[in-house]
Structure formats: C-alpha cells, structure tokens
C-alpha cells in the first residue's frame, strides 16, 4: 500500500468528512481523533497496533493514557490550548509515549484541528514512530562523546592526557597575559617506579598509578588540573597560587602518598615534585623549570618537593 503523508490525509479530511472513517482505517500510520476534552473518539488499526491496545480499550479514554505520567499534565494543557486555537492551527512535536507493555517509544505527533459534523472542534493526530532513529542518534551521540573523551583523557588514569593538558597550560598562560591571574605548576613522578614494575609486574604498576592518581586528585582543589604527561610523570596546574602556596599544597600531597600502601602487595610509594610559577615566556620554558626542580628533588634524596630557583 502506498504511504499517505499527514498533509495528504489532512487534505482528505477537509475534502470529504463522510469518508473520514474509511481514510482513517486504511491509513498505514497511526491516527486518532480526540474530543475537545481530550478523550479518544476514534483510533485506527495502525494506532492500536503501535500502542498494543484493542480499539475498545482506548475509545472513551483520555489520550494521556499513552503518555508517561510525568508528562501528562503538560500534554493535557497543550491539548486544551490547541483546541482553543485558530481553526487551521497545526502542531508538530516530538514526544516520548508509553505503549501497553510499558515500553517507552518516541514519536513525531502531527495534529490538525478540524470541525466535526456537530460543529464542535476535534483534534486529529497522526503519529510516526521514530524510536529506532532516536536510539541510533543516542548511540552515535554516546560514541562521539566516548571518542572525544578518549581524545582528551589518559585511558589508564582517566586524567587529562599530555596533549589536552598542554593545551590547558597554554590557556592558563593566555589568561595570565590578559588578566594578570597568577598560577603555578607542579611536576611530579613516582620514585623508583621502574624497580616496582620489574619486581611486581606492569599490572601491579598500572594499579599503583591508578590508585595514586585518585589519591592525589582527592587532595587537590577543584580548580586544579591533574594531567598525565606520560609513564609515571604528571603535571598539576594550580590557578591563582604562587610558588610558596603551590609548595604547601604539593607537600601535603606528597605526605599523603607516602603514608599509604597500594595494591594487594601493600606497596609503599613516594613521589618527587618540582614547583614553578609563571612569570613570562612559553609553556615549555615553564615546564623546563619545574622539571629541573623535580630533578633536584630526586638528587636530594627523593620524596620531597623543590621550588624552581626562577620561582623563588
């Protein structure tokens, strides 16, 4: 059977009201007619099949029977407003509906206001099932969100990855140049991490990285940015603080890590960190200052925080 569009059906209604019932029954899309009060006066076989009801289960019932409870008041109010509108008013909207089995589906409902033989208005509604299309759109949206997340986050630790982190560092530098907002960075890595991997395996090493980064993130401020640069090396961007304040915050982090044990092996791990505050220059120069300070912390015996001399 050749499909009839809602617009074609609407024209048929206006052309011959006597043929309305036959048109409705033969239509391949769901159609219903509701009274000014919103009760079903006529439903076609396609409408009943879509919702899973027999005709007698719907006739005389309020149309919100097929609407999720949380939307019934809204749709009922829209119906009343629609019925008070101009005679040729039309309405096309997307809605979630609930079929007899309780399944939620998504439809496009296109409604037209017509005058019945008794002189009273009626609402004729055509429904088109777009559930599969919406599900596909949702899956595509989730896939795109996942791809975007993977593009900006480290897969193991869920922290910002190197590329995204350095981009945020550049943004912080631009903010400093425009508004003079101070900020500092801390670079840290885990002491003797290679030995840990060699002794307990990379699986244990990955677990340590995950647990430590969670612990460190919990000790940071909400405004701080925690970034995995690669391997066991990390960067923290600390907006609005000077080198001394960054040192105090990072030293608390260092102590927290040293006091914990990790994995089922009850491993103790320490970190060394270098602090640098931005004054001028590029992000790579700032990172170089912090990296040299971190190297000094390693040379001085590890498990400590050192402020870069240029930040003193």
């Amino acid at each position: 059977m050749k499909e009839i569009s809602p617009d074609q059906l609407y024209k048929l209604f206006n052309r011959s009201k006597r043929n309305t019932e036959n048109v409705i029954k033969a239509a391949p899309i769901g159609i219903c007619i509701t009274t000014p009060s919103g009760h079903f006066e006529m439903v076609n076989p396609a409408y009943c099949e879509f919702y899973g009801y027999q005709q007698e289960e719907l006739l005389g019932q309020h149309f919100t029977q097929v609407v999720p409870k949380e939307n019934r008041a809204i749709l009922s109010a829209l119906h009343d407003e629609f019925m008070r509108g101009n005679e040729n008013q039309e309405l096309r909207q997307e809605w979630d509906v609930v079929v007899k089995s309780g399944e939620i589906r998504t439809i496009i409902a296109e409604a037209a206001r017509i005058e019945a033989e008794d002189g009273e208005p009626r609402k004729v509604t055509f429904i088109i099932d777009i559930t599969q299309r919406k599900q596909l759109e949702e899956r595509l949206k989730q896939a795109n969100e996942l791809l975007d997340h993977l593009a900006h986050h480290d897969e193991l630790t869920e922290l910002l990855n190197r590329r995204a982190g350095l981009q945020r560092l550049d943004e912080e530098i631009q903010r400093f140049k425009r508004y003079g907002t101070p900020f500092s960075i801390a670079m840290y890595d885990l002491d003797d991490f290679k030995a840990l991997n060699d002794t307990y395996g990379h699986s244990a090493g990955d677990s340590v990285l995950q647990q430590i980064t969670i612990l460190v993130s919990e000790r940071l401020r909400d405004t701080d940015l925690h970034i995995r640069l690669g391997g066991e090396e990390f960067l923290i961007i600390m907006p609005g603080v000077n080198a001394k304040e960054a040192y105090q915050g990072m030293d608390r982090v260092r102590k927290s890590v040293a006091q914990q044990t990790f994995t089922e092996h009850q491993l103790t791990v320490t970190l060394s960190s270098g602090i640098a505050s931005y004054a001028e220059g590029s992000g790579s120069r700032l990172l170089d200052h912090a990296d040299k300070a971190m190297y000094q912390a390693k040379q001085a015996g590890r498990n400590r925080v050192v402020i870069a001399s240029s930040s003193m």
Side-chain angles (χ1 to χ4, degrees), residues 8-218:
Q8 290 172 320
L9 286 167
Y10 178 58
K11 290 177 181 177
L12 286 172
F13 279 121
N14 284 304
R15 242 182 240 169
S16 177
K17 292 187 175 72
R18 291 177 302 175
N19 291 329
T20 295
E21 186 173 350
N22 291 333
V23 171
I24 289 178
K25 287 180 179 179
I29 62 174
I31 304 172
C32 70
I33 296 179
T34 47
T35 64
S37 62
H39 292 82
F40 288 116
E41 186 174 75
M42 184 178 291
V43 289
N44 75 338
Y47 192 93
C48 293
E49 181 180 357
F50 173 76
Y51 283 103
Y53 288 101
Q54 297 297 318
Q55 186 182 58
E56 56 269 19
E57 294 179 284
L58 292 176
L59 294 179
Q61 300 299 316
H62 199 269
F63 80 94
T64 53
Q65 178 175 330
V66 297
V67 175
K69 291 182 179 179
E70 61 271 20
N71 293 338
R72 288 178 180 176
I74 296 173
L75 282 179
S76 186
L78 284 174
H79 169 84
D80 293 343
E81 181 181 350
F82 181 77
M83 296 305 291
R84 291 192 296 266
N86 298 325
E87 186 171 345
N88 294 324
Q89 182 180 5
E90 297 182 38
L91 184 68
R92 179 184 175 90
Q93 290 183 320
E94 181 181 306
W95 292 104
D96 285 338
V97 294
V98 56
V99 301
K100 187 176 181 180
S101 66
E103 178 188 353
I104 300 295
R105 296 184 183 176
T106 306
I107 64 167
I108 289 179
E110 187 164 347
R113 185 174 181 270
I114 64 171
E115 183 179 328
E117 292 181 356
D118 61 5
E120 292 295 316
R122 298 289 191 276
K123 183 172 77 172
V124 183
T125 304
F126 313 95
I127 64 166
I128 299 174
D129 183 11
I130 60 168
T131 306
Q132 290 185 344
R133 190 187 84 188
K134 293 296 292 185
Q135 290 172 346
L136 177 59
E137 288 175 355
E138 183 60 28
R139 287 196 293 270
L140 288 173
K141 178 184 175 183
Q142 291 173 358
N144 287 331
E145 288 174 350
L146 176 59
L147 288 173
D148 182 68
H149 181 82
L150 292 174
H152 295 87
H153 291 79
D154 174 59
E155 187 175 358
L156 177 66
T157 63
E158 291 294 313
L159 300 179
L160 288 174
N161 61 25
R162 183 183 186 90
R163 181 179 179 182
L166 295 183
Q167 181 178 342
R168 296 295 292 271
L169 179 60
D170 286 340
E171 290 172 2
E172 204 62 39
I173 290 173
Q174 294 306 314
R175 189 176 293 110
F176 174 91
K177 292 179 177 178
R178 184 170 183 178
Y179 302 109
T181 307
F183 76 96
S184 299
I185 65 168
M187 286 183 67
Y188 76 89
D189 77 359
L190 306 185
D191 299 325
D192 298 317
F193 190 72
K194 183 179 183 302
L196 184 152
N197 268 332
D198 292 342
T199 303
Y200 297 97
H202 288 279
S203 177
D206 287 348
S207 182
V208 167
L209 286 173
Q210 289 173 325
Q211 293 178 47
I212 285 181
T213 52
I214 290 172
L215 175 61
V216 172
S217 293
E218 289 174 347

